[in-house]
């Protein structure tokens, strides 16, 4: 039977309507045409992107020439710019010199490098005093908004705090005022004890399908120890995050047959003091049926796969 569920942090209500899972579902990310010879993100094509602002190079190769392993460039078609009212910075992080399309094709070490590079670029964006918030995110597959298949993620730094982050900050502050604790710290403990939505547990992280999942197989990776900023992770934290996220993504890829998905890293905006309320997290959002009329009209999501069902299937998935 369909049921309403409300997210503990934001108060957002969703409809879990499991019967609808019988409908045909299309998660596939394979719709993007791949013409490697014309891929602007492949080595040798550096001149087809704006000049690099960062690259991980292990040799002495020159900027904007082959020899890089990870490369960050301004987005050629930015959503925000520094000379307009919509003030901001928009960059693309090319995650591998190999023309690969799946996150699981990166090794754990390579994914850790991607997270390290993400932190380098977040810090560089925050060096601009007008940038209030930086959102790292990834689109995989056309259904998730990707226009190029070559594995990449993006960062958008803005002079405003986006509404979803604001809703989390407000919800967390409300919860802390009422109970004196961090809502995410409590959530992690509750999910660990309940165990019915847990996908994977490591010493530092818990991966689980949230109670009020908006999307089928939505999975959050949350640090078990309180921390408000992703970019404050130490080396051991990044290495473990890479291992956990790669394992979760590999399970999603296996069960959903290489799905289109987004991931977003929610981290505290500039100036937010760590008063024990905001808590960073990485959200993985598989995209199946997409956002339709009801979602746009009501501002509510209908999810055809309960997080309990999703977690059960993901636990059974391959390790990597
Ligand atoms: Zn390529
Ligand atoms: Zn916390």
């Amino acid at each position: 039977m369909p049921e309403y569920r409300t997210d503990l942090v934001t108060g957002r209500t969703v409809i879990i309507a499991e019967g609808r899972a019988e409908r045909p579902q299309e998660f596939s990310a394979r719709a993007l045409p791949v013409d490697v010879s014309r891929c602007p993100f492949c080595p040798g094509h550096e001149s087809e992107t704006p000049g690099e602002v960062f690259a991980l190079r292990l040799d002495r190769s020159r900027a904007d020439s082959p020899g890089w392993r990870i490369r960050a460039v301004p987005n050629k078609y930015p959503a925000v710019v520094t000379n307009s009212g919509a003030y901001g910075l928009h960059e693309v992080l090319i995650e591998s010199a190999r023309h690969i399309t799946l996150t699981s094709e990166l090794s754990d070490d390579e994914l850790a490098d991607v997270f390290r590079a993400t932190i380098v670029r977040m810090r560089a964006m925050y060096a601009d005093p007008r940038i209030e918030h930086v959102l790292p995110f990834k689109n995989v597959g056309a259904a998730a908004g990707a226009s190029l298949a070559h594995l990449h993620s993006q960062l958008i730094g803005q002079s405003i705090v986006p509404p979803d982050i604001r809703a989390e900050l407000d919800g967390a502050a409300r919860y802390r005022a009422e109970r004196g604790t961090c809502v995410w710290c409590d959530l992690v403990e509750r999910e660990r004890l309940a165990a019915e939505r847990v996908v994977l547990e490591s010493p530092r992280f818990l991966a689980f399908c949230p109670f009020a999942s908006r999307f089928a197989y939505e999975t959050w990776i949350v640090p078990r120890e309180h921390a408000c900023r992703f970019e404050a992770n130490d080396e051991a934290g990044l290495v473990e995050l890479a291992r956990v996220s790669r394992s979760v993504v590999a399970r999603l890829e296996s069960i959903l047959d290489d799905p289109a998905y987004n991931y977003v890293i929610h981290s505290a905006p500039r100036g937010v003091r760590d008063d024990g309320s905001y808590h960073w997290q990485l959200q993985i959002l598989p995209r199946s049926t997409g956002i339709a009329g009801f979602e746009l009209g009501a501002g509510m999501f209908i999810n055809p796969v309960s997080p309990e069902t999703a977690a059960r299937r993901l636990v059974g998935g391959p390790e990597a």
Side-chain angles (χ1 to χ4, degrees), residues 272-291:
V272 166
R273 257 186 333 113
D274 194 359
D275 64 351
S277 60
Y278 195 78
H279 192 124
W280 77 267
Q281 81 289 161
L282 188 155
Q283 302 187 357
I284 304 171
L285 311 163
R287 301 290 294 275
S288 54
T289 40
I291 296 166

Side-chain angles (χ1 to χ4, degrees), residues 114-190:
V114 168
F115 289 140
R116 287 183 195 105
T118 301
I119 289 175
V120 168
R121 295 319 301 160
M122 287 178 85
R123 291 199 171 129
M125 286 187 174
Y126 278 123
D128 177 340
R130 290 184 64 184
I131 297 298
E132 287 296 323
H133 183 258
V134 179
L135 181 79
F137 63 98
K138 184 176 212 168
N139 305 333
V140 174
S147 50
L148 288 164
H150 190 131
L151 199 64
H152 67 284
S153 51
Q154 302 181 56
L155 296 101
I156 291 187
Q158 296 186 83
S159 57
I160 61 161
V161 175
D164 278 9
I165 303 293
R166 176 57 59 200
E168 288 181 354
L169 286 166
D170 291 348
R174 225 171 11 245
Y175 188 93
R176 187 159 180 345
E178 282 167 16
R179 314 218 184 178
T181 50
C182 163
V183 63
W184 277 279
C185 286
D186 286 2
L187 194 57
V188 163
E189 218 32 58
R190 270 159 71 160

Side-chain angles (χ1 to χ4, degrees), residues 186-198 201 206:
D186 286 2
L187 194 57
V188 163
E189 218 32 58
R190 270 159 71 160
E191 290 296 345
R192 277 190 68 221
L193 291 175
E196 57 182 346
R197 285 175 291 274
V198 171
E201 184 179 343
L206 190 74

Side-chain angles (χ1 to χ4, degrees), residues 1-2 16-22 303-310 312:
M1 293 295 281
I16 306 286
E18 197 134 58
R20 290 169 63 89
E22 309 306 321
N303 175 358
V305 181
S306 76
E308 295 77 23
T309 302
R312 219 168 22 245

Side-chain angles (χ1 to χ4, degrees), residues 36 39-42 98-100 150:
V36 180
C39 174
F41 291 169
C42 272
R98 305 191 302 282
H99 187 92
I100 54 174
H150 190 131

Side-chain angles (χ1 to χ4, degrees), residues 26-64:
E26 182 52 75
F27 281 94
S28 183
R30 294 207 184 109
L32 280 178
V34 179
D35 180 357
V36 180
S37 67
R38 296 177 57 179
C39 174
F41 291 169
C42 272
H45 294 204
E46 287 80 5
S47 63
E48 292 170 37
T49 65
E52 69 196 38
V53 289
F54 168 83
L56 180 64
R57 293 176 183 275
L58 299 183
D59 54 17
R60 292 179 176 219
S61 49
R62 276 182 303 108
D64 297 319

